[in-house]
Amino acid sequence: NAGVTQTPKFRVLKTGQSMTLLCAQDMNHEYMYWYRQDPGMGLRLIHYSVGEGTTAKGEVPDGYNVSRLKKQNFLLGLESAAPSQTSVYFCASSIKETQYFGPGTRLLVL
Amino acid sequence: AQSVTQPDIHITVSEGASLELRCNYSYGATPYLFWYVQSPGQGLQLLLKYFSGDTLVQGIKGFEAEFKRSQSSFNLRKPSVHWSDAAEYFCAVSSYNTDKLIFGTGTRLQVFP
């Protein structure tokens, strides 16, 4: 039982490049979330999903897209990366009110 | 507006000393409250949570927290800190009618031997 896993762990992008972050969970949770963590700002919700095939915007959705084609996977896409998207990205899944987090993806956009 | 405030950005304690991390919330509905810990380079681990009932809740690693509705607070405590407790601690709030967590900005704990 791996819980929540994230791929990749670390990535460097150039401005304008695109990439996809993968989150996978093996707990059969309905809800999944993407957050970004920046110094002094805590965690901010980017997008979330309440079930397979559904997505919704969070607090800071601009510049990101998501897809939830399978219940166990939640993908976060950056179509044209900007330096302001340099951050640590966390995925979480939840059953009811309690969220469980992945180890994070550190992204550097040059 | 719904919010969580952690007034202490950085706290330093000696190993063996007691610890209290403060958390205040502003939330319209009955709150569900959480404390998470993040070790350097790691994800967030749930320490404890409060939904209802006894206002003093016990968590993992010897931590406890007390819900005080009159003060809108949910402070985290530990009677004797260990060097391995050095980490960043996040308070968060949600409710029964929402699927989103609101996080505080975190408190970084440093432990001196």
Side-chain angles (χ1 to χ4, degrees):
Chain A
N1 189 336
V4 180
T5 58
Q6 293 183 233
T7 310
K9 289 184 170 56
F10 177 69
R11 184 76 182 269
V12 179
L13 288 180
K14 294 181 180 178
T15 297
Q17 286 185 318
S18 64
M19 79 163 295
T20 300
L21 283 66
L22 171 64
C23 175
Q25 54 98 0
D26 61 3
M27 297 176 282
N28 202 35
H29 287 170
E30 288 294 336
Y31 290 19
M32 295 186 75
Y33 308 81
W34 276 107
Y35 294 89
R36 60 178 289 172
Q37 183 182 32
D38 302 292
M41 303 190 75
L43 276 78
R44 294 181 293 168
L45 183 64
I46 305 171
H47 286 281
Y48 66 105
S49 168
V50 300
E52 182 178 319
T54 74
T55 63
K57 294 180 180 179
E59 180 185 355
V60 288
D62 294 342
Y64 304 95
N65 57 76
V66 288
S67 65
R68 182 99 181 268
L69 299 179
K70 293 183 179 180
K71 185 177 184 178
Q72 64 267 34
N73 295 337
F74 195 29
L75 278 63
L76 178 71
L78 286 72
E79 292 183 345
S80 179
S84 61
Q85 294 177 304
T86 292
S87 187
V88 182
Y89 291 86
F90 287 100
C91 176
S93 70
S94 74
I95 181 165
K96 295 188 178 179
E97 302 82 7
T98 303
Q99 294 188 19
Y100 299 89
F101 286 80
T105 293
R106 188 172 296 273
L107 176 64
L108 175 62
V109 182
L110 301 175
Chain B
Q2 300 163 350
S3 65
V4 176
T5 301
Q6 294 181 246
D8 303 305
I9 296 173
H10 187 201
I11 284 183
T12 301
V13 299
S14 298
E15 191 170 19
S18 63
L19 173 70
E20 183 169 29
L21 302 182
R22 296 183 291 166
C23 173
N24 293 96
Y25 66 90
S26 173
Y27 205 78
T30 300
Y32 292 165
L33 294 154
F34 306 81
W35 275 101
Y36 286 86
V37 60
Q38 183 182 29
S39 298
Q42 303 296 314
L44 279 72
Q45 181 183 20
L46 181 66
L47 278 177
L48 50 77
K49 58 188 177 183
Y50 171 79
F51 291 169
S52 65
D54 191 347
T55 56
L56 184 64
V57 293
Q58 303 296 321
I60 62 171
K61 305 186 181 187
F63 285 91
E64 66 177 27
E66 186 172 12
F67 172 57
K68 293 186 178 180
R69 184 184 299 276
S70 61
Q71 299 177 20
S72 297
S73 69
F74 188 57
N75 294 350
L76 182 70
R77 301 195 295 248
K78 187 169 185 178
S80 177
V81 171
H82 188 263
W83 63 267
S84 60
D85 293 324
E88 189 149 20
Y89 292 79
F90 292 93
C91 182
V93 65
S94 72
S95 184
Y96 70 93
N97 61 351
T98 181
D99 40 30
K100 290 181 273 188
L101 274 176
I102 299 171
F103 283 89
T105 52
T107 297
R108 181 167 298 278
L109 174 65
Q110 193 170 6
V111 181
F112 280 114

